[in-house]
Structure formats: C-alpha cells, structure tokens
C-alpha cells in the first residue's frame, strides 16, 4: 500500500472548511471509547455528580480528542487508497487541502496530551499510550493496520481498555485504578479484537487487492468468523468467573445472560459470516457493550464494599 507524502491532492481552497475538518475527525467513531470511559467512571466507585467536570472533560478527551486524532492520522496515511475507493473523503477530494490533514493530526495530538495532563499522571500516561498506538497503527514503518492480528489488538486495547482505565484514573484523581478494574478493562479490550474483525468482512476484496492482511484475508471468512467469535466470548467468560469469585453475583448473572444471547446470534453469524457480519455487529455487539456497563456497576459495588 502506498503512503507517499507527495500524493497529488486537489486543493480547492487554501484552508479547510470547518465542516471538512469535522468530517475528517469522524464523530461517528467517538462513541465506543466514550462508552468505555463512562464504564471507567462508574467502576471507580467515585460519585459522579461532585466530579462532573472531570467526567465531562474525560469524555471529551476519550472521543473528540484522542479518537478524533486517530481518525485524522488514519485518513492522512490512507489518502492514496481513499483516492481510489472513497474519493469523496475530505483529503482526496481536496476539501482538506495540501498537508492540512497531517497538520490537524499533529495539533489534535498535542491538544489531547495537554488536556490529559490536567487529569492526573495515570490519565496522561494512558492518553499518551493511546496516541502512540494511533500513530503506529496507521503510519509507516510499523503501520499495524496492515495485519489484522496486530491492528485489531491495538484498536481494541486503545478504544476499550485504555479508555476504561483512563475514566477510572480520572475519577480517582489521576491515581492508578485498583487491580479488579484493570483486569476487567483489559479483558473487554481483548474481546474488542473480535469486534474489529467483524468490521473487516465487508472489505475482504479490497483488502486483498491492497495487500492488507485482515483476518478474513489471512484465514478465510469461515475461520476468521470463528476467531472473532472466540475473541469476543472468551474474555466475557473470564469476566463472569472473576465477578463470581468476588461475590458480585448480580453483575455476573447479567453478563452471563448477555453472553448467552450473543452465543445464540454467533451461531447464525457463523453459518454465513460475510453476509451476516454487519447484522451481528448491529445486534450482538450492543449486548457486549451492555455487559461492559454491567461489569462496571459490579466493580463499583466492589469498590464501595
């Protein structure tokens, strides 16, 4: 895949319009980390209302700043591919002229870091790690997105685990969250590897032509579907076991019921993964993220107890 910095663009103006910048930052992608951050807020056991400012700033950090940065970085380094597949995107269409896509990514990186620094040491560390993953996911020479194993792991860890840990740390005054919170956050981030794989089924042909080794390209659709399902189900089983071990039976029961419903949907998905990946993303993944919040409330009770 080409990532030449001298790609001919078609600037229509000297500066990008605000609407084009907003499109570049892709607000539709902000929800998953904002939800994970909210799970971190809940799991901290700290009352939300007296700390509303911290919670609000943290949600902005998770979505409109860190994830928006990752979207700008991705669009800049995918501009050659987008010029072929999605020429209407802000950069190849010229609505983000010249090197403004790169400049916006750099500015958002700095702004995200400055905001994170106001929320404490561990929030800053988590945000910097997330920003680093955003750069190495899209930018050469590492460009983790070229391989589904590494790229999906980076996204899952950044979008779910780091956002969750950041939310808890922010509410704890910048301190490192307790081990139960860290464990559940990391498990749900691992499961998100499977969610990211679901997104790859719609682009198998294009990924194969462009040399992107997504799991459906590497393993074939059927095997990739089994891997995605296993990645999503296994961490939830561990979450249930941990909650049971901690005596949080209600939380464990809720997660178990949600997992049973997911497993029923997985059976249908596995029979026709290419045709039903989008369907499972729409109906199965919401159950997964509801389980995240159920676990967060169980951890809140753990912290309170």
């Amino acid at each position: 895949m080409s990532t030449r910095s001298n790609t001919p663009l078609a600037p229509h103006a000297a500066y990008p319009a605000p609407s084009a910048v907003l499109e570049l930052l892709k607000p539709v992608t902000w929800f998953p980390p904002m939800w994970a951050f909210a799970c971190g807020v809940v799991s901290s056991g700290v009352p939300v209302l007296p700390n509303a400012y911290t919670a609000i700033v943290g949600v902005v950090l998770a979505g409109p700043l860190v994830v928006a940065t990752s979207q700008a970085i991705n669009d800049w380094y995918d501009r050659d591919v987008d010029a072929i597949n999605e020429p209407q995107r802000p950069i190849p269409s010229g609505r983000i002229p010249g090197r403004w896509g790169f400049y916006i990514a750099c500015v958002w990186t700095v702004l995200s870091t400055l905001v994170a620094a106001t929320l404490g040491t561990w929030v800053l560390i988590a945000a910097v790690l997330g920003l680093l993953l955003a750069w190495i996911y899209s930018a050469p020479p590492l460009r983790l997105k070229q391989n589904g194993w590494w790229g999906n792991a980076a996204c899952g860890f950044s979008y779910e685990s780091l956002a969750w840990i950041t939310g808890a740390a922010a509410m704890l005054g910048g301190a490192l969250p307790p081990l139960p919170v860290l464990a559940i956050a990391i498990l749900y981030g691992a499961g998100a590897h499977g969610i990211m794989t679901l997104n790859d089924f719609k682009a198998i042909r294009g990924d194969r032509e462009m040399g992107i080794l997504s799991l459906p390209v590497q393993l074939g659709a059927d095997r990739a579907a089994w891997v995605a399902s296993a990645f999503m189900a296994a961490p939830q089983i561990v979450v249930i076991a941990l909650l049971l071990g901690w005596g949080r039976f209600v939380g464990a029961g809720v997660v178990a019921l949600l997992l049973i419903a997911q497993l029923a949907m997985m059976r249908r998905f596995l029979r026709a993964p290419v045709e039903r990946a989008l369907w499972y993303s729409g109906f199965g993944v919401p159950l997964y993220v509801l389980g995240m919040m159920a676990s967060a409330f169980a951890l809140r009770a753990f912290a309170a107890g």
Side-chain angles (χ1 to χ4, degrees):
M1 181 183 298
S2 174
T3 55
R4 301 185 307 273
S5 61
N6 61 343
T7 301
L9 303 174
H12 294 172
Y15 304 100
S19 60
V21 174
L22 184 62
E23 185 179 346
L24 179 73
L25 301 178
K26 294 182 185 175
V28 70
T29 65
W30 299 350
F31 173 76
M34 292 169 70
W35 179 265
F37 185 94
C39 290
V41 168
V42 171
S43 69
S44 71
V46 177
V48 175
L49 288 180
N51 300 278
Y53 174 80
T54 297
I56 292 171
V57 173
V59 167
V60 171
L61 174 67
L65 289 176
V66 173
V67 170
T69 301
S70 73
Q71 298 304 319
I73 296 168
N74 186 67
D75 268 30
W76 174 252
Y77 286 102
D78 271 1
R79 61 197 187 279
D80 288 338
V81 177
D82 287 344
I84 299 171
N85 296 328
E86 297 182 88
Q88 77 280 4
R89 293 290 305 150
I91 293 177
S93 69
R95 290 178 292 127
I96 301 285
R99 295 181 62 83
W100 270 99
F102 179 73
Y103 300 151
I104 291 169
C106 292
V107 169
W108 244 250
T109 298
V110 173
L111 182 59
S112 299
T113 304
L114 293 175
V115 171
T118 68
L119 297 177
T121 301
W122 285 102
V123 175
L124 176 61
I125 291 172
V128 169
L129 180 55
L131 291 166
L132 177 63
L133 287 172
W135 279 96
I136 66 176
Y137 175 78
S138 296
L142 295 180
R143 198 162 165 78
L144 297 180
K145 70 177 298 178
Q146 291 275 69
N147 186 292
W149 293 108
W150 295 108
N152 292 356
C155 283
F157 183 67
S158 181
Y159 277 39
E160 305 295 350
S161 299
L162 275 180
W164 187 315
I165 293 168
T166 303
M171 297 301 286
L172 294 168
L176 181 66
L179 285 177
V181 173
L182 295 176
I184 298 299
I186 290 171
L187 283 167
Y188 274 110
H193 191 294
I195 296 176
M196 300 305 299
T197 300
L198 293 177
N199 296 330
D200 293 332
F201 282 92
K202 65 181 183 295
I204 294 176
R205 180 178 178 181
D207 286 348
R208 185 178 289 117
E209 291 178 356
M210 300 305 300
I212 297 176
L213 300 177
S214 68
L215 293 194
V217 170
Q218 291 188 54
L219 305 177
D222 291 341
R223 290 177 62 193
W226 278 98
V227 169
S229 299
F231 260 107
M232 293 180 66
Q236 294 180 83
I237 294 172
V238 179
V239 167
I240 294 167
L242 288 175
L243 292 178
L244 287 173
W246 294 330
R248 301 305 159 189
F249 302 115
V250 173
V254 172
V255 176
L257 289 173
L258 291 169
L259 176 58
I260 290 170
Q262 291 171 67
L263 292 173
M265 293 183 185
M266 283 179 188
R267 290 186 60 188
R268 187 166 186 263
F269 161 61
L270 290 170
R271 289 196 290 266
V274 175
E275 295 81 3
R276 295 174 181 163
L278 183 60
W279 168 82
Y280 186 70
S281 293
F283 292 97
V285 172
L287 300 181
Y288 181 94
V289 300
L290 284 176
M292 292 172 58
M293 188 58 75
S295 299
F297 273 102
L299 289 171
R300 181 182 181 85
F302 184 88

